[in-house]
Amino acid sequence: MLSDIFSTFDDHNSVFLSSYWVLWLTSLYVIIFYSSSLWLPPTRPNILLSIPKSIMLSQIKRTFGQNLLGMPLILPSLFLFLILLNLLGLLPYVFSPTAHLAMTASLAVPLWLSMILSSYTLNPHQTFSHLLPTGTPAPLSPFLSIIEGVSITVRPLTLSVRLAANMGAGHIILGLIGNYLSSWVFTLSATIVLIVLMIQIGYFLFEVGVSLIQGYIFSLLLSLYSDDHAN
């Protein structure tokens, strides 16, 4: 039973029409068919799944990430994974994991930390040289090093909070509009109900765009962070 609007973010809160199994089936589909083009003839589902893959691969080719082993495979897979989770979270009675900071942080922190540790292991001197821009005046060097170090440290936090906040806020607003719409159906005029319904549909389409954009931004920033990796 949903006691308030924030109960939709409780993964242990089950209702009669819960459809959490949709997430499991979709994840299984992605695992099996995402790279099936390597051994199966092209099909429509495989072609659709290759679209986000080609988009992210074109972005990785513009960064140093193309030289990192596994990055051209990890980021396109992450991009598609985030898009599916974001879109499935818009379905009724489907739990939205990307609206939780624990979920987004579990994706951002390991990927960010792996690039930091890999860069430090490969070339620690060049890694620390990124903390100080070339041509910095000597008196400002300590302050700029601290500022750059803090900016690098908070990167996984900003990645996690951005995705969780955008998805969570959208779900809350959709839930509020839906609650008002359901309570006004039998009490107000048909004109007002129709206006609210159009607002609900318009905002839902807006959230579909937000779901796609936030998945792209998350993967895009990770690819840009690879430019700081030591050569």
Side-chain angles (χ1 to χ4, degrees):
M1 178 179 179
L2 301 179
S3 57
D4 54 56
I5 189 136
F6 295 99
S7 298
T8 57
F9 299 105
D10 185 4
D11 58 333
H12 298 290
N13 192 354
S14 59
V15 294
F16 177 70
L17 297 176
S18 294
S19 301
Y20 300 154
W21 54 270
V22 175
L23 290 174
W24 291 98
L25 290 182
T26 306
S27 301
L28 181 62
Y29 178 84
V30 172
I31 292 173
I32 296 176
F33 292 100
Y34 183 62
S35 299
S36 61
S37 59
L38 298 174
W39 61 84
L40 293 177
T43 60
R44 285 188 177 182
N46 290 336
I47 294 175
L48 291 176
L49 290 176
S50 66
I51 294 177
K53 180 179 180 180
S54 60
I55 292 174
M56 189 49 56
L57 283 176
S58 64
Q59 172 58 36
I60 295 175
K61 291 180 180 178
R62 303 190 187 102
T63 64
F64 184 74
Q66 63 179 337
N67 299 325
L68 299 179
L69 296 178
M71 188 66 71
L73 179 61
I74 293 175
L75 284 188
S77 303
L78 176 65
F79 181 37
L80 178 62
F81 180 66
L82 290 176
I83 288 177
L84 290 175
L85 289 185
N86 292 342
L87 293 178
L88 288 172
L90 297 175
L91 297 179
Y93 304 107
V94 176
F95 175 66
S96 178
T98 51
H100 284 251
L101 187 59
M103 174 64 182
T104 56
S106 65
L107 295 175
V109 173
L111 292 173
W112 166 84
L113 186 60
S114 62
M115 285 191 288
I116 294 294
L117 295 178
S118 174
S119 179
Y120 177 79
T121 303
L122 180 64
N123 194 335
H125 297 287
Q126 185 178 356
T127 302
F128 286 112
S129 67
H130 288 299
L131 299 177
L132 190 63
T134 305
T136 302
L140 297 178
S141 298
F143 302 101
L144 291 180
S145 299
I146 295 174
I147 293 173
E148 187 65 22
V150 172
S151 66
I152 294 176
T153 304
V154 300
R155 282 177 178 178
L157 179 62
T158 56
L159 280 174
S160 307
V161 173
R162 180 187 294 107
L163 179 58
N166 279 278
M167 300 310 301
H171 293 320
I172 291 175
I173 296 176
L174 282 175
L176 286 173
I177 298 176
N179 288 339
Y180 284 118
L181 181 62
S182 60
S183 61
W184 289 348
V185 169
F186 301 105
T187 58
L188 298 181
S189 63
T191 303
I192 297 178
V193 173
L194 182 61
I195 293 174
V196 177
L197 179 60
M198 295 303 296
I199 294 175
Q200 175 83 328
I201 295 174
Y203 193 80
F204 177 81
L205 296 177
F206 173 75
E207 279 300 310
V208 171
V210 171
S211 300
L212 300 176
I213 293 173
Q214 289 303 318
Y216 176 73
I217 291 176
F218 191 96
S219 304
L220 173 65
L221 291 177
L222 282 174
S223 67
L224 294 177
Y225 294 160
S226 66
D227 285 336
D228 294 335
H229 195 281
N231 298 326

